[in-house]
Amino acid sequence: MRHGEDRRIGGGSEEIKMAGTGKTILVTGGAGYVGSHTVIELLKEEYNVIVVDNFVNSIKVQSGKGNIYPESLSRVQQLTGKKVVFHEVDICNKHALRTVFSFYHSGEQKIDCVIHFAALKAVGESCALPLKYYGNNVTGSANLMEVMMEFGVKRLVFSSSATVYGQPQYLPVDENHPTGNCTNPYGKTKFFMEEIMKDVVAANPDWGCQLLRYFNPVGAHPSGCIGEDPQGIPNNLMPYIAQVAVGRREKLMVYGSDYDTEDGTGCRDYIHVMDLAMGHVAAIRQILDPTYSGLKIYNLGTGRGQTVLQMVKAFSEVSGREIPYELVDRRPGDVASCYASCELAAKELGWRSKLSLEDMCSSEYKWQLSNPTGYRS
């Protein structure tokens, strides 16, 4: 591969030119919420980044050369001054994935590791459209691993979820908590992929995988330039609150007020997206160690729970805006309380969350004020 070579793969980047001096990381779903914030931190650490994404959770813009590029990654490049190589690829299209891997396999900078974010992620939608979720999240992920195997890429960091724990049997939830008793199809897709990855590593001792079980990512980059931009009515709490705060929506719908929690509303472990991004950098450092093999699992959260109404109050205090809300019926698939024990990540990855609830709310509000209609602004 020649620096500056013009090569488009599946609607790809206008120029194939790596930004960093370190290892090369392919990021699936890297134009989405958690993906784009993680790409910033990878670039800061001098990794080369290749993103594949199908625009399910991102907005297209046209570059000066007429090529299609995600608005989120365009802003990442502005923030970092570094190039992000992009290819428009759906992980369900194995041929397109194979084309990307083949191109870099024959070049100077081969792919060293994959961070796999690409997934459909709405709990409620997964209950209504389970086949859509199984097809994308499970089949697409299996496609990715098959192509990785073809091209000898043996390191994978997987974006999993606390939903694999189902209804918690104890709190805080640690990595030894039983999994599989999931309350919705989205959680089941994450659980199934974890099991597949365990089997792949068992069958291939030279492979290395990490399963990062997120709790509830919130907030935005401190610049306010990138953040969470849900398409349509938000499925997650924080962007919904923020849209109410700036007048984009009339009121917040609070799903469930009769849970066994402090105020009857659901209780979750909310983690700042920048802390989560740093968790991925810590995982990459560990998994790229030449001696690394096998599979490890880490919770990424704060270790503290906040109810919906506590989040509403915190956001209102930070923004100085009243957040009107209405208490409505529970959503299918939700649990009352879930928050993490993150001691294993602290011990083995050297990672802990650092940013506060106030940081989460203030960064989210700054993003929403600067971008009242998201990336379409």
Side-chain angles (χ1 to χ4, degrees):
M1 179 181 66
R2 298 183 300 277
H3 287 301
E5 181 179 359
D6 190 7
R7 179 72 176 263
R8 298 168 181 83
I9 303 172
S13 63
E14 61 190 56
E15 186 178 83
I16 304 297
K17 186 177 181 181
M18 298 298 186
T21 57
K23 299 287 189 178
T24 298
I25 314 298
L26 184 138
V27 183
T28 73
Y33 175 43
V34 179
S36 59
H37 289 77
T38 300
V39 167
I40 282 187
E41 294 304 313
L42 291 171
L43 292 172
K44 284 171 61 177
E45 296 291 321
E46 296 297 327
Y47 292 105
N48 296 300
V49 179
I50 304 162
V51 170
V52 299
D53 199 292
N54 67 352
F55 291 103
V56 164
N57 293 307
S58 56
I59 299 298
K60 295 181 180 182
V61 293
Q62 197 168 56
S63 74
K65 295 185 179 181
N67 294 318
I68 300 300
Y69 199 74
E71 174 65 17
S72 58
L73 296 184
S74 178
R75 297 187 186 192
V76 165
Q77 291 186 143
Q78 293 168 17
L79 288 166
T80 62
K82 295 181 179 179
K83 177 70 179 177
V84 181
V85 177
F86 172 74
H87 303 290
E88 183 179 356
V89 171
D90 191 315
I91 60 171
C92 291
N93 185 338
K94 190 187 292 186
H95 173 72
L97 276 174
R98 188 177 287 118
T99 302
V100 173
F101 275 79
S102 177
F103 178 65
Y104 293 99
H105 184 71
S106 61
E108 295 170 5
Q109 290 181 294
K110 294 179 171 58
I111 297 167
D112 296 293
C113 181
V114 173
I115 302 180
H116 180 31
F117 291 110
L120 299 173
K121 59 179 185 176
V123 167
E125 183 185 53
S126 77
C127 294
L129 302 170
L131 287 176
K132 179 179 179 181
Y133 274 68
Y134 292 129
N136 185 88
N137 294 7
V138 179
T139 304
S141 299
N143 285 345
L144 174 66
M145 295 185 73
E146 287 180 1
V147 174
M148 288 175 62
M149 196 164 289
E150 287 179 32
F151 291 95
V153 180
K154 302 175 182 179
R155 296 289 183 269
L156 177 63
V157 176
F158 178 54
S159 167
S160 192
S161 167
T163 55
V164 301
Y165 294 122
Q167 181 68 50
Q169 297 178 16
Y170 56 83
L171 293 170
V173 175
D174 60 25
E175 291 84 353
N176 293 319
H177 187 286
T179 59
N181 189 26
C182 305
T183 60
N184 56 73
Y186 164 71
K188 290 177 184 177
T189 66
K190 293 296 187 179
F191 169 71
F192 293 157
M193 278 316 305
E194 285 196 1
E195 293 300 297
I196 290 170
M197 290 175 186
K198 291 175 184 177
D199 290 340
V200 169
V201 170
N204 300 273
D206 56 341
W207 264 61
C209 285
Q210 287 195 2
L211 313 181
L212 303 183
R213 292 174 178 164
Y214 307 170
F215 279 66
N216 293 75
V218 297
H221 190 267
S223 67
C225 290
I226 65 170
E228 186 171 10
D229 183 25
Q231 309 303 302
I233 299 173
N235 291 296
N236 296 327
L237 176 64
M238 186 70 92
Y240 208 139
I241 293 175
Q243 289 183 14
V244 173
V246 298
R248 185 172 168 184
R249 300 195 182 276
E250 179 185 0
K251 60 185 175 181
L252 171 71
M253 310 304 286
V254 178
Y255 296 100
S257 57
D258 57 351
Y259 288 112
D260 184 18
T261 63
E262 186 174 337
D263 55 27
T265 62
C267 180
R268 298 289 183 273
D269 188 335
Y270 296 96
I271 176 174
H272 199 296
V273 68
M274 297 309 300
D275 276 333
L276 191 56
M278 290 305 301
H280 287 79
V281 172
I284 287 291
R285 289 196 193 103
Q286 185 193 70
I287 203 169
L288 287 179
D289 186 310
T291 64
Y292 184 97
S293 64
L295 181 141
K296 294 187 177 182
I297 301 169
Y298 298 107
N299 286 340
L300 298 183
T302 65
R304 300 178 300 276
Q306 305 284 344
T307 69
V308 173
L309 292 185
Q310 287 170 341
M311 293 296 287
V312 169
K313 180 181 178 182
F315 199 97
S316 181
E317 290 175 349
V318 165
S319 66
R321 302 285 187 93
E322 181 184 356
I323 311 295
Y325 63 86
E326 179 182 351
L327 302 175
V328 296
D329 292 340
R330 300 181 183 187
R331 289 185 301 189
D334 281 347
V335 301
S337 297
C338 190
Y339 54 92
S341 166
C342 303
E343 294 308 308
L344 189 61
K347 178 182 177 182
E348 297 189 5
L349 295 179
W351 173 90
R352 283 189 186 275
S353 64
K354 297 178 180 179
L355 298 171
S356 67
L357 179 57
E358 182 179 353
D359 294 325
M360 299 175 203
C361 294
S362 61
S363 62
E364 180 75 23
Y365 189 49
K366 184 175 183 179
W367 152 254
Q368 197 68 68
L369 279 177
S370 303
N371 303 271
T373 57
Y375 287 117
R376 289 180 178 85
S377 302

